[in-house]
Amino acid sequence: MALAVAAARRLAQASLRECSRRRTGLLDVISSRAANHHTSVEVIFVYLRAENKVTVHFINRDGEKITVKASPGDSLLDVVINEDLDFDGFGACEGTLACSTCHLIFDEEVYKNLGPVTDEEMDMLDLAYGLTETSRLGCQICLTKSLEGLVARVPESVADIRQSKDGAA
């Protein structure tokens, strides 16, 4: 079991790119070690996923801080959906970069670590309510371990073209 857990820890510490390249070989190693030690591969991967989480703090429209754990590689939109967070209207296009309802605002230091903004994302951000210099779309932010403790603020309102001018859906 110790060898299988050690292999799982090594996999957790590898970057996402390395994981995809080495996944097949490590799965073979983990499977064989798990078989030798009467441990299921599923148990090892549950352990691996639990150990390889990133803490994310959302500040909702009421100013309440909501803290969740998420997996590296998930987008912030995935996190909101997977954790069933109740942010009204959030992610209307389901991450297809066709709206700005997953608009989030970050502190400047965090914003600098989020990676470049694409032209397509910038076009959608132009439609966002309450746009700031540190605004990004949650569907375009993929979590990495370096974003541990990230704070994302949900704007006070959302621009959703599905709503009529009087606010009715």
Side-chain angles (χ1 to χ4, degrees), residues 102-107 111 114 117 121-122 125 128-138 141 153 155:
C102 63
H103 171 215
L104 295 167
I105 301 169
F106 300 91
D107 291 334
Y111 181 83
L114 296 179
V117 181
E121 181 180 0
M122 191 59 76
L125 279 170
Y129 176 83
L131 186 66
T132 71
E133 292 292 319
T134 60
S135 291
R136 291 291 303 268
L137 296 180
I141 307 299
R153 187 167 51 86

Side-chain angles (χ1 to χ4, degrees), residues 43-97:
V43 168
I44 293 169
F45 279 103
V46 165
Y47 173 80
L48 169 70
R49 293 221 14 119
E51 191 173 270
N52 196 30
K53 295 286 186 173
V54 177
T55 303
V56 178
H57 307 282
F58 290 96
I59 309 295
N60 71 13
R61 292 182 178 110
D62 296 328
E64 178 187 358
K65 185 177 187 178
I66 301 166
T67 300
V68 296
K69 295 267 190 186
S71 298
D74 286 350
S75 73
L76 289 178
L77 175 59
D78 293 334
V79 175
V80 170
I81 292 168
N82 294 343
E83 294 296 324
D84 198 26
L85 302 180
D86 188 20
F87 302 150
D88 190 42
F90 198 89
C93 76
E94 299 177 354
T96 60
L97 204 54

